[in-house]
């Protein structure tokens, strides 16, 4: 199975000047765990995750004053739609992160998460176990 089969095509793109609270509200409303941060003046594309927001708030930073630019990961590993789920999972495990922005020639086309991969693999695992019979 390929990344294009598992990825979410709902890509929330926000700017570097959004506050953490604004980012959290937008992510929560869409029930997603990451947003693409687009900053054409500096790094281009980055990612902010629910974990980044949680860490900032947990350390006492004000979510109404802190902007996404200060909490965006800019050293991003991107996936291609034609990657296998194994390649995506390996990149996530190696890098220690749970989301990959999926790029094609025109820009971001999706985000794939660990949860997306598990959703794809779990039904296959159940069929494999069921076909093998009782242990």
């Amino acid at each position: 199975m390929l990344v294009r089969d598992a990825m979410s095509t709902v890509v929330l793109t926000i700017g570097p000047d959004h506050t953490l609270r604004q980012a959290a509200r937008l992510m929560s409303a869409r029930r997603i765990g990451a947003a693409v941060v687009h900053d054409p003046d500096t790094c281009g594309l980055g990612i902010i995750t629910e974990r980044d927001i949680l860490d900032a708030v947990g350390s006492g930073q004000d979510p109404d004053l802190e902007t996404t630019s200060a909490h965006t990961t800019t050293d991003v590993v991107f996936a291609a739609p034609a990657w296998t789920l194994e390649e995506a999972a390996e990149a996530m495990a190696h890098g220690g992160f749970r989301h990959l922005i999926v790029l094609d020639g025109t820009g971001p086309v999706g985000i794939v998460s660990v949860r997306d991969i598990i959703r794809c693999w779990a039904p296959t695992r159940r069929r494999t176990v069921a076909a093998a019979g009782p242990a």
Side-chain angles (χ1 to χ4, degrees), residues 11-135:
V11 180
L12 173 61
T13 303
I14 60 176
D17 296 328
H18 277 81
T19 66
L20 294 183
R21 184 174 309 277
Q22 290 171 323
R25 280 186 180 143
L26 291 167
M27 290 164 61
S28 178
R30 289 163 181 79
R31 300 186 49 76
I32 56 176
V36 173
V37 180
H38 182 246
D39 187 354
D41 296 332
T42 59
C43 62
L45 293 178
I47 191 167
I48 190 161
T49 67
E50 57 197 352
R51 173 77 41 97
D52 298 323
I53 296 169
L54 183 65
D55 288 346
V57 172
S59 70
Q61 296 178 32
D62 187 337
D64 293 313
L65 299 177
E66 288 292 314
T67 61
T68 58
S69 63
H71 301 277
T72 298
T73 300
T74 56
D75 184 20
V76 179
V77 175
F78 297 101
W83 276 19
T84 65
L85 293 185
E86 289 82 5
E87 289 172 306
E90 185 177 314
M92 290 177 187
H94 180 73
F97 43 80
R98 299 178 297 165
H99 299 86
L100 289 168
I101 299 171
V102 183
L103 294 180
D104 70 2
T106 63
V109 293
I111 292 184
V112 65
S113 70
V114 170
R115 182 176 292 163
D116 296 326
I117 293 171
I118 290 170
R119 277 191 201 121
C120 290
W121 283 347
T124 302
R125 172 84 175 123
R126 281 195 298 271
R127 284 192 301 271
T128 303
V129 170

